[in-house]
């Protein structure tokens, strides 16, 4: 097999958003009149705008969106957001982290491979966001998570975990590979807006710094007044 | 301020000393010392796990792209590949006294060879107002037995400094390898190569300990590739080595031959770098016969990825390097645009054919396309009209 690509390929930075769409995400906050899902839907166009306005992101970032409740669903395949219509998310059911991790693994691999043989990629990043905890006790999530982050998996991602509402710190600490954060007191919709804003900043900054660390330069800089960093645990 | 000493000399001396023994250190700091090397002075406090420095350019919402500013540069035949965006802007790193030039280039005779080398800061660095982090160097061995070339790609947990590590590493390793003969380096059971890497690593750390006392190994981290090429390639193999993901190629008739095994894992994860407490960890050494080869090339990974991943870029560079390049042409070879290629680009190219007088080979056939001419240049060169060549202001 030649080391040299026969067709033009372009290096990509794969990013997946894993968003909890369980029913609790649809609970409307009295003060703001918004639910967390409303906030996600409002913020997704901002993500697209960030990609459009920053060429260092726009040329390399490929972004996908997976929602999870009792099952996981690919609502936006890994793509160039410049040419994508942003989906509108709705509530769907319970909370199953295992389904989310299984689908994330297959979609990261399929998404990068679909870009063509020989396409080089920067270490994928998964932003995980949930307001609750795993409810599918018959389907443990630790195994699928280990499978996703296993160093033998060629496309193993870094996972950044954001929690708010009823999310459990211990679960977030195990899910994250490098950074885990719990949103501080605020209404859930505001917390979601802060999370999306932080991950947009992370995608932009990481795109600039992909070569700035031995482990790949993932940068996440949340507002310390709005997030509590959690020490990461191994599963 | 700095002078690298030969490897077998006393340890690195910061500030000049007239005699042997301990380096003569100044009694006090230089009177004019405008720049601090303390990380906290150059960087706002950030989470230690977050390596990026907020750059001045980033905070300006009204940033205009080079296109919007109507910036004009010399024309080039270099290709554009893929869906590239024209909204990049160029911002100079005014806050970093240790920034590198955005462009570096050399071309000339080195021993029996013609060498051309160039380094260009990546679009992503320019857009964010950061210095490039690549470096190259070269040396002719003290005894004249071989030529050494090196490239390094600064990583660093603090992007303000890794270019210092890259710069020091390329010079230190060339210096170390130049102090050993080709025979010593290549005889069986020799560990001279490993010793040179260790010496270079120690030299960088020594400089760090004297001049950049607040910096750590990770602040200066860089990947490195180097090669030792005998002045008569028929006398033995060339030695190429790397730590990390820099690359090397030999070329014949415009065709590339990859020297090091290609890694197909994530682009931005490297398994080894220098300086380090284990300097030969991850050292990979390859020997190759250069008889019949046209060129020997070392590149940092940004350029290597373009060579591996883009047939158009590969062809452009191969065509450009069919002939020995002068400095301007060498720089021009790096001016292609490829979607997603935003890293620094650095290469050292050594043409292996013996230097001969012009006219003894078919230069016409290999000559590059002429530069496109602007209407101004056309009138100036033809002495028509009233356009005068530029001259001193009156």
């Amino acid at each position: 097999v030649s080391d040299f690509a026969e067709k033009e390929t372009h290096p990509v930075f794969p990013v997946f958003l894993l968003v909890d769409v369980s029913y609790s995400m649809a609970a409307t906050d009295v003060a703001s009149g918004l639910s967390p899902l409303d906030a996600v839907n409002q913020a997704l166009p901002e993500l697209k705008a960030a990609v459009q306005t920053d060429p260092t992101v726009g040329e390399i970032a490929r972004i996908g969106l997976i929602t999870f409740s009792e099952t996981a669903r690919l609502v936006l395949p890994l793509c160039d957001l410049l040419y994508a219509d942003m989906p509108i998310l709705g509530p769907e059911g319970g909370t199953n982290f295992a389904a989310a991790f299984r689908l994330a693994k297959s979609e990261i691999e399929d998404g990068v491979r679909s870009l063509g043989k020989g396409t080089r990629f920067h270490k994928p990043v998964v932003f995980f966001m949930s307001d609750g905890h795993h409810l599918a006790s018959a389907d443990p999530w630790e195994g699928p998570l280990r499978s996703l982050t296993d160093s033998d998996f060629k496309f193993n991602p870094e996972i950044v975990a954001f929690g708010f509402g009823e999310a459990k710190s211990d679960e977030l600490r195990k899910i994250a590979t490098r950074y885990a954060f719990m949103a501080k007191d605020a209404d859930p919709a505001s917390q979601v807006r802060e999370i999306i804003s932080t991950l947009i900043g992370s995608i932009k900054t990481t795109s600039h710094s992909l070569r700035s660390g031995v482990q790949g330069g993932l940068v996440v800089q949340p507002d310390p007044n709005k997030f509590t960093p959690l020490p990461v645990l191994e599963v | 301020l700095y002078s690298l000493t030969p490897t077998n000399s006393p340890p690195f001396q910061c500030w000049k000393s007239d005699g042997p023994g301990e380096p003569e250190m100044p009694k006090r700091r230089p009177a004019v010392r405008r720049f601090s090397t303390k990380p906290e002075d150059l960087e706002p406090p950030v989470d230690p796990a977050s390596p990026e420095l907020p750059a001045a350019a980033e905070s300006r919402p009204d940033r205009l792209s080079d296109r919007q500013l109507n910036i004009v540069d010399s024309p080039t035949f270099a290709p554009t590949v893929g869906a590239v965006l024209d909204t990049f802007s160029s911002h100079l790193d005014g806050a970093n006294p240790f920034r590198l030039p955005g462009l570096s280039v050399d071309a000339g005779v080195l021993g029996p060879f013609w060498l051309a080398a160039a380094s260009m800061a990546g679009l992503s660095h320019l857009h964010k107002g950061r210095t490039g982090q690549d470096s190259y160097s070269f040396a002719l061995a003290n005894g004249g037995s071989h030529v050494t070339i090196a490239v390094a790609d600064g990583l660093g947990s603090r992007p303000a400094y890794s270019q210092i590590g890259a710069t020091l590493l390329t010079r230190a390793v060339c210096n170390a390898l130049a102090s050993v003969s080709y025979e010593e380096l290549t005889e069986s059971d020799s560990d001279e190569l490993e010793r040179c890497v260790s010496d270079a690593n120690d030299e960088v750390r020594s400089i760090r300990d004297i001049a950049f006392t607040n910096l750590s190994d990770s602040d200066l981290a860089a990947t490195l590739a180097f090669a030792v090429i005998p002045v008569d390639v028929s006398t033995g193999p060339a030695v190429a080595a790397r730590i990390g993901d820099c690359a090397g190629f030999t070329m014949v008739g415009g065709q590339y031959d990859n020297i090091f095994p290609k890694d197909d894992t994530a682009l931005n994860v490297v398994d080894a770098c220098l300086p380090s407490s284990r300097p030969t960890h991850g050292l990979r050494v390859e020997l190759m016969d250069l008889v019949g080869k046209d060129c020997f090339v070392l590149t940092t990974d940004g350029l290597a990825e373009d060579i591996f991943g883009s047939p158009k870029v590969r062809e452009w560079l191969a065509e450009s390097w069919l002939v020995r390049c002068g400095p301007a042409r060498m720089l021009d070879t790096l001016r292609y645009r490829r979607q997603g290629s935003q890293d620094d680009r650095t290469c050292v190219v050594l043409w292996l054919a013996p230097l001969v007088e012009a006219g003894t080979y078919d230069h016409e056939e290999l000559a590059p396309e002429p530069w496109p001419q602007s209407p101004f240049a056309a009138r100036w060169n033809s002495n028509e009209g009233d356009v005068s060549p530029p001259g001193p202001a009156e």
Side-chain angles (χ1 to χ4, degrees), chain B residues 118-186:
Chain B
S119 184
M120 176 183 283
L123 283 176
S124 132
H125 286 136
L126 271 175
H127 189 74
K128 193 139 190 197
R130 297 264 167 75
T131 177
Q133 296 166 315
D134 280 4
S135 176
Y136 67 81
S137 192
F138 45 81
L140 182 61
N142 296 342
S145 65
H146 62 275
V147 160
T148 296
I149 58 178
V151 297
D153 181 349
L155 304 173
S157 59
R158 294 175 190 275
Y161 310 104
S162 64
Q163 77 284 359
I164 299 172
T167 304
L168 294 175
L169 268 174
T170 53
R171 280 142 185 80
V173 80
C174 284
N175 189 48
L177 291 164
S179 67
V180 186
S181 72
Y182 174 74
E183 288 72 24
E184 288 173 302
L185 281 166
T186 54

Side-chain angles (χ1 to χ4, degrees), chain A residues 10-33:
Chain A
H10 310 290
V12 295
F13 172 34
V15 176
F16 263 99
L17 276 54
L18 260 62
V19 180
D20 185 344
V21 291
S22 57
Y23 281 128
S24 56
M25 291 283 286
T28 302
D29 178 67
V30 176
S32 66

